[in-house]
Amino acid sequence: MKTKTYSLLFICLLLLLNCGNSYSENESGFRAIVGYGEGFVAAGSNGRIDHLDLKGCVVRTESFLNTELNCLFTCGTALFAAGEAGILLMSNN
């Protein structure tokens, strides 16, 4: 049980450290994806967040102008997106 807990903590640390990666302005596309609800959420360049169903079809798209998103994580029903310049977005839906 301890090994499983340490492994999970190690993976979470790697994911959080990866949030600080800088991407060149020429790179576009998704930089993070997490399971959320009954599907997935993907985030990336141009502040785009896509909600996908289990088949990978886009259900809903949101955009946050002048924002580059690098990381997604969940805590219970809350979804967090982190990006350049200290941007942190949170949603419960």
Side-chain angles (χ1 to χ4, degrees):
M1 185 68 171
K2 267 189 171 181
T3 305
K4 195 173 190 179
T5 302
Y6 289 129
S7 296
L8 182 60
L9 286 172
F10 180 72
I11 291 169
C12 289
L13 271 174
L14 285 176
L15 290 172
L16 286 174
L17 290 174
N18 193 37
C19 286
N21 285 350
S22 293
Y23 295 90
S24 76
E25 291 180 19
N26 297 332
E27 291 184 56
S28 64
F30 293 117
R31 298 179 182 159
I33 187 166
V34 294
Y36 187 68
E38 294 188 20
F40 303 93
V41 175
S45 58
N46 301 318
R48 181 174 171 175
I49 297 178
D50 284 354
H51 299 260
L52 304 119
D53 63 17
L54 291 174
K55 294 180 182 178
C57 298
V58 176
V59 176
R60 186 173 85 211
T61 299
E62 300 172 272
S63 288
F64 300 90
L65 298 176
N66 301 320
T67 304
E68 296 296 321
L69 300 172
N70 300 326
C71 175
L72 289 170
F73 57 98
T74 61
C75 182
T77 60
L79 172 68
F80 297 89
E84 301 294 319
I87 296 292
L88 182 62
L89 305 172
M90 189 205 98
S91 174
N92 282 323
N93 55 18

